[in-house]
Amino acid sequence: MVEAPEAAPPAGALERYFALSERGTNARTEVLAGVTTFLTMAYIVLVNPAILGSTGMPVASVAAATCFAAAFASIMMGLVSNTPLALAPGMGLNAYFSYTVVQQMGVPWQVALGCVFISGVAFLFLTLTGVRQLIVNSIPHYLFAAVAGGIGLFIGFIGFKDAGIIVSNPATFVALGNLKDPNAALAIFGLLLIGALSVWNVRGAMLIGIVVTTLVGWAFGMVSVSPEPYSLSALTGTAFQLDLAGVFGLSGSHGLGLLEILFVFLFVDLFDNIGTLVAVTKRAGLMDKDGRIPRLNRILVTDATATIVGSMAGTSTVTSYVESAAGVQAGGRTGLTSVVTGLLFLAMMFVAPYAQVIPLAATAPALIIVGGLMLLPLTEVEWEDPLSAIPAFLTVAMIPLTFSIANGLAFGITAHAALKIVRGTVTKKDWFLLVLALLFVVRFVWMGAA
């Protein structure tokens, strides 16, 4: 009886560090919220290796790197900013890394990781010097929403392609695939399963759907991948493999490709973070009375640091996840939620190398569902106003149709600047927007002359 009070200090330490009572929560609620967030975003451990693995990166290594990066970033976010925000390698940016930078532009994946590292350093510099705010203020809010929607269509298109539901066609560019094909049929099953679990509000619907679809594939003899023996050393396949010297050695057909790659990694990460932060902190009631996000610089410094560490571990850009809203919905209000999520990702490392047994037909449905969910921000666009609607549409359309986030950003920002000039509403505050638009025009001219 006398020794019972000795168990109190740890809880007291958590209370003081995370200000649990002040935010109307407790340790039990925060733990449950952290588990909820983990279940809603754990699919990335299976999907990210499938996407980056198409570049030739060892799948088991990418899976381990994904877990490590998500764990490091989420724990750091919780401890540094005390915000219920979890992070992991970002959807959309991993697709850009794989399909555009490596496969279309022919950049080795080691060099691409070097670009991710430099973009993280640049993000950190811009945050610490205050330039970040200048960039955010120069770009209209509706383009943030358009970029998110365009990336959603991009991800969904990749999912349909991986599933074999959409195939190339010389006459119509794309066409409906053979739905009787076993892989396409398995993907459709997975899509229906995840959809059903989602409408039933089952936590971890995507993760459950991927696992069950894989098991069905095994049962019908459709999965023949032999996983490498488990070992935490799998991480060494991608850890510290980034090629910084190669980044600055890009030449020939790449030309200004380096600047474009860095621009996309940096700006999409920035846009994605701002949008996610607004959504999650607003839902959690953490915004101040003026609509500002508390400890914003700490949050962005954490994000930049996570991208740097993630690139060294061997994965694409790490960013904040909107799935964090699920943990907030479950009651999470402090950084303890993020710490719990990070610890679960850390534990996931012990099974991460086996992610390579998951077939594309099982991960494709998750890409399609995630892509669809990313269209929600498009409701923020004022579609009745041509000044907003035209640049937003160009952004949304050009990202998937050109298989490039950079092209979508370029068309959207350039169109917005041009329409403001035509309308005669340009002000001195728009100088940075005009500079960006001019750079994009130069980029288009260079591409046309290449």
Side-chain angles (χ1 to χ4, degrees):
M1 295 294 292
V2 176
E3 297 180 357
E6 294 183 4
L14 289 177
E15 166 63 39
R16 290 191 299 273
Y17 192 89
F18 294 106
L20 300 178
S21 298
E22 181 182 329
R23 298 194 184 180
T25 185
N26 55 57
R28 179 178 180 278
T29 299
E30 293 295 300
V31 170
L32 291 176
V35 173
T36 299
T37 297
F38 172 77
L39 290 176
T40 59
M41 59 185 288
Y43 67 88
I44 193 62
V45 179
L46 305 177
V47 175
N48 197 48
I51 293 176
L52 298 190
S54 65
T55 66
M57 298 177 71
V59 174
S61 301
V62 175
T66 301
C67 291
F68 175 79
F72 172 86
S74 298
I75 292 173
M76 182 180 177
M77 181 65 75
L79 296 178
V80 173
S81 73
N82 196 19
T83 304
L85 198 65
L87 299 88
M91 294 293 291
L93 282 169
N94 54 5
Y96 176 74
F97 178 104
S98 177
Y99 301 108
T100 301
V101 177
V102 177
Q103 297 183 47
Q104 281 191 7
M105 298 178 68
V107 177
W109 63 263
Q110 295 90 341
V111 175
L113 284 178
C115 291
V116 174
F117 176 90
I118 294 173
S119 71
V121 173
F123 195 170
L124 184 61
F125 173 78
L126 293 177
T127 300
L128 294 176
T129 57
V131 178
R132 167 196 54 78
Q133 193 62 40
L134 177 65
I135 297 172
V136 172
N137 291 339
S138 68
I139 298 173
H141 179 71
Y142 76 84
L143 278 184
F144 291 169
V147 169
I151 292 175
L153 289 177
F154 184 33
I155 293 173
F157 183 75
I158 291 171
F160 282 119
K161 174 179 172 293
D162 287 347
I165 297 174
I166 290 179
V167 296
S168 61
N169 184 290
T172 60
F173 295 107
V174 294
L176 182 66
N178 179 12
L179 301 186
K180 294 181 180 180
D181 179 83
N183 287 320
L186 181 62
I188 292 174
F189 166 79
L191 183 62
L192 293 174
L193 176 60
I194 295 176
L197 293 174
S198 297
V199 298
W200 289 333
N201 295 318
V202 176
R203 293 178 180 175
M206 289 187 195
L207 182 61
I208 295 171
I210 291 173
V211 172
V212 172
T213 303
T214 299
L215 292 176
V216 172
W218 280 347
F220 285 90
M222 298 170 59
V223 178
S224 58
V225 179
S226 300
E228 300 173 0
Y230 165 73
S231 173
L232 282 179
S233 62
L235 185 60
T236 60
T238 54
F240 301 106
Q241 297 298 314
L242 68 168
D243 183 1
L244 293 177
V247 173
F248 298 104
L250 286 179
S251 59
S253 61
H254 293 111
L256 298 178
L258 169 62
L259 295 178
E260 175 180 318
I261 294 169
L262 293 176
F263 178 84
V264 171
F265 282 148
L266 176 63
F267 276 70
V268 174
D269 190 19
L270 178 64
F271 291 176
D272 189 60
N273 264 281
I274 296 299
T276 300
L277 288 173
V278 170
V280 174
T281 55
K282 186 174 183 179
R283 177 64 188 83
L286 298 178
M287 279 188 172
D288 62 23
K289 60 182 180 180
D290 297 320
R292 294 174 300 189
I293 301 172
R295 299 171 297 280
L296 178 60
N297 271 5
R298 291 189 181 188
I299 293 172
L300 294 177
V301 165
T302 298
D303 180 272
T305 304
T307 290
I308 294 171
V309 172
S311 67
M312 291 190 291
T315 187
S316 53
T317 305
V318 176
T319 188
S320 305
Y321 263 57
V322 73
E323 283 86 348
S324 302
V328 170
Q329 184 69 31
R333 294 294 183 272
T334 75
L336 182 55
T337 293
S338 302
V339 170
V340 172
T341 301
L343 291 174
L344 290 173
F345 271 114
L346 198 61
M348 195 77 169
M349 282 190 68
F350 290 93
V351 296
Y354 291 98
Q356 61 186 303
V357 303
I358 309 297
L360 284 177
T363 56
L367 293 178
I368 296 170
I369 296 293
V370 170
L373 294 176
M374 290 182 69
L375 298 182
L376 178 61
L378 292 179
T379 58
E380 301 172 15
V381 178
E382 296 181 9
W383 294 104
E384 300 85 0
D385 182 4
L387 182 60
S388 301
I390 294 174
F393 171 74
L394 289 174
T395 301
V396 172
M398 294 302 288
I399 289 177
L401 294 181
T402 65
F403 237 60
S404 170
I405 300 173
N407 288 337
L409 282 169
F411 269 85
I413 292 176
T414 303
H416 176 77
L419 291 176
K420 289 203 71 171
I421 293 174
V422 172
R423 200 183 215 183
T425 56
V426 176
T427 65
K428 292 181 179 180
K429 295 181 180 180
D430 294 321
W431 71 270
F432 193 78
L433 171 69
L434 297 178
V435 170
L436 285 177
L438 180 60
L439 290 175
F440 280 130
V441 170
V442 171
R443 172 182 178 271
F444 287 133
V445 172
W446 167 75
M447 289 175 62

